Amino acid sequence: MKNVTMISRRSFLKAAMAASAVSALALTGCGGSASSTTASSAAASAAAEGGQTFKVGIVNYVDHASLNQIVASVESRLDELGKEKGVTFDYADYYANAQADQSNLNQIGADLVGDGVDVIVAVATPTAATMLAAVEDTDIPVVYSAVTDPAAAGFDDGENITGTSDALNTDAIMNLILAVDPDIDTIGLLYDLSQDASTQAIADAKAFCEAKGIQYIEKNGTTTAEVQMAAEALIASGVKAVFTPTDNTIMTAELSIYETFTEAGVQHYTGADSFALNGAFVGYGVDYVQLGEATADMVAEILCDGKSASDMPYQTFDNGIVTINTETCEALGLDLDTVKEAFKPYCTEIVEVTTAENFS
């Protein structure tokens, strides 16, 4: 897989892009607005036979390892599917990264609708919500990726939207903390209050701690600088382990805080392998490469097989993969083999990684 470092391939404001730069072939009957499944399937088949070019908008919420990994996986899988099906998925001309800015998201949505894309892939919950609003009164389907709680976001019964969820099994990762330190009495919770992806997982973590008689200390941040201060505050409070769910803000800051935690002897347990790849002690949960591939498969089903997004249930994954950063493990003074043995009852697979700023 190619390096996932994001390179700007398209300005957020694409108003100057000439429409003639894209295939003028009309996509009749594809997407969720077809008059019937049969008609949609027939049109999609005809398009495939004719070597149709589909315009695929891909919108990333912010530039960080987890979401970049999804984008790279979606693109790679679309390339494979295009060759298999004899079509072209043109995503290079319709990619944008909002850099966690709502005004950017709004403009990107308007631009993609103006460009007449055939589908929008929306990475992360805020992106999906904005793109869904942007395509209102159009036939453009939205396929989201990395939406932690589609039901809470209102996507589970929405029209013309489907996708993949990175919902976290919080109890499983909390059990990993106890597996390493059965006598732990206080756990830190580090997250961004504004991140919808963190809401349910943090509630579940609190419930877990309360049931086990473990105290918890919460610290929050909305910027990397605030997250750094929150991490230092947790260390000052004396916690020896910190839990973070699939939180975009903390993920963005991980490279800035992992050494702070490690030097203080604090184990950081997180809700994705990409955190561990950026220095956290442990990541647990969804394989984001797999998530991106499944998202691309859904795009192809809509565009090439004539399926309606409204009739496709969203997908969840619970593969139980634990990712251990071996460098961080050693720096914490922990024996890797002992840690792996303690984790075995709580996962289906253990992956070892070392710290990298970018990864593929």
Side-chain angles (χ1 to χ4, degrees):
M1 181 174 292
K2 65 185 178 182
N3 190 294
V4 298
T5 304
M6 300 280 49
I7 299 173
S8 178
R9 293 166 292 178
R10 171 181 176 275
S11 170
F12 292 150
L13 307 178
K14 305 191 294 89
M17 179 179 288
S20 59
V22 185
S23 171
L25 292 174
L27 177 60
T28 304
C30 288
S33 63
S35 58
S36 70
T37 301
T38 301
S40 180
S41 297
S45 297
E49 290 174 3
Q52 173 73 57
T53 293
F54 296 107
K55 297 185 285 187
V56 180
I58 300 179
V59 187
N60 197 359
Y61 177 62
V62 68
D63 187 34
H64 76 51
S66 295
L67 305 189
N68 293 351
Q69 192 176 27
I70 293 170
V71 170
S73 182
V74 168
E75 294 175 348
S76 178
R77 180 60 177 157
L78 286 177
D79 289 342
E80 293 177 4
L81 291 169
K83 292 177 182 178
E84 290 175 11
K85 297 178 178 295
V87 301
T88 298
F89 296 107
D90 179 8
Y91 54 78
D93 292 326
Y94 305 100
Y95 170 82
N97 187 321
Q99 297 299 350
D101 187 302
Q102 184 60 46
S103 63
N104 285 342
L105 279 176
N106 293 338
Q107 185 62 60
I108 291 165
D111 288 344
L112 291 175
V113 170
D115 286 337
V117 295
D118 299 307
V119 65
I120 297 177
V121 176
V123 183
T125 304
T127 310
T130 304
M131 295 306 111
L132 184 59
V135 302
E136 188 176 5
D137 300 325
T138 77
D139 297 330
I140 302 171
V142 174
V143 180
Y144 55 77
S145 192
V147 170
T148 303
D149 193 343
F155 303 152
D156 57 330
D157 57 357
E159 293 186 4
N160 219 21
I161 186 169
T162 188
T164 56
S165 171
D166 61 346
L168 180 66
N169 183 339
T170 304
D171 282 5
I173 195 168
M174 299 301 284
N175 278 324
L176 297 180
I177 299 176
L178 295 183
V180 172
D181 185 359
D183 299 322
I184 195 166
D185 58 7
T186 307
I187 294 175
L189 306 178
L190 177 63
Y191 63 103
D192 180 352
L193 282 166
S194 68
Q195 287 287 314
D196 292 338
S198 294
T199 303
Q200 187 58 53
I202 290 297
D204 292 341
K206 292 178 181 178
F208 180 95
C209 289
E210 290 166 359
K212 300 289 185 181
I214 299 171
Q215 294 183 334
Y216 57 83
I217 298 174
E218 299 176 73
K219 295 297 177 182
N220 314 109
T222 59
T223 66
T224 294
E226 289 177 358
V227 171
Q228 178 69 47
M229 289 188 290
E232 292 170 355
L234 286 172
I235 292 168
S237 71
V239 302
K240 292 303 179 185
V242 171
F243 166 66
T244 292
T246 51
D247 188 298
N248 291 321
T249 301
I250 310 304
M251 179 64 239
T252 303
E254 188 63 42
L255 283 166
S256 300
I257 63 173
Y258 83 91
E259 290 179 319
T260 302
F261 278 145
T262 302
E263 290 169 3
V266 175
Q267 302 160 22
H268 195 193
Y269 293 80
T270 62
D273 62 343
S274 44
F275 283 88
L277 285 156
N278 273 183
F281 172 43
V282 169
Y284 177 91
V286 171
D287 180 335
Y288 280 99
V289 173
Q290 179 189 23
L291 194 77
E293 290 173 346
T295 305
D297 287 343
M298 298 180 88
V299 169
E301 288 183 71
I302 292 169
L303 297 180
C304 298
D305 300 337
K307 291 189 177 181
S308 168
S310 302
D311 297 331
M312 297 172 66
Y314 69 83
Q315 298 183 41
T316 58
F317 306 82
D318 185 14
N319 49 26
I321 295 177
V322 168
T323 302
I324 302 173
N325 186 306
T326 57
E327 293 172 332
T328 300
C329 183
E330 181 180 3
L332 288 167
L334 299 172
D335 178 72
L336 178 61
D337 289 336
T338 301
V339 169
K340 289 168 65 177
E341 195 64 30
F343 284 172
K344 281 182 180 179
Y346 304 104
C347 63
T348 58
E349 182 181 353
I350 296 175
V351 176
E352 299 175 18
V353 299
T354 55
T355 306
E357 182 173 351
N358 301 298
F359 51 89
S360 57

